[in-house]
């Protein structure tokens, strides 16, 4: 199951699980759409593709909440 990280690792922008705009690699490194574009859709950590993260909504989000551990810059 995806971790659904709450923020962009590069700029810290909030990325709610129930909205579009997050991009992830196969290791679940997470970036906002703007940073993914700036990175040319390549993960700076592993070099893998950054693809749009699926949303988690409704009852699924209630049963399996998104992570609260932030990874972005402090």
């Amino acid at each position: 199951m995806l971790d659904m990280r709450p923020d962009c690792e590069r700029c810290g922008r909030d990325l709610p699980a129930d909205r579009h705009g997050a991009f992830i690699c196969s290791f679940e490194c997470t970036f906002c759409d703007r940073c993914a574009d700036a990175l040319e859709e390549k993960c700076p950590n592993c070099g893998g593709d950054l693809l749009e993260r699926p949303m988690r909504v409704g009852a699924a989000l209630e049963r399996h909440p998104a992570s609260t551990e932030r990874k972005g810059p402090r």
Side-chain angles (χ1 to χ4, degrees):
M1 181 177 321
L2 289 175
D3 198 26
M4 305 299 279
R5 295 177 183 170
D7 65 331
C8 175
E9 292 183 26
R10 187 168 181 246
C11 73
R13 181 176 158 199
D14 289 339
L15 297 170
D18 61 351
R19 294 192 198 147
H20 292 289
F23 286 74
I24 60 173
C25 71
S26 65
F27 291 99
E28 294 187 56
C29 299
T30 305
F31 300 92
C32 69
D33 52 359
R34 289 179 275 199
C35 288
D37 284 345
L39 295 166
E40 297 181 353
E41 284 77 34
K42 292 290 179 197
C43 179
N45 302 321
C46 70
D49 292 333
L50 291 174
L51 302 173
E52 190 169 10
R53 179 182 76 184
M55 293 191 311
R56 186 177 300 160
V57 298
L61 184 56
E62 288 178 25
R63 283 191 309 274
H64 306 284
S67 173
T68 58
E69 184 179 340
R70 298 183 72 83
K71 303 279 185 179
R74 308 226 189 284

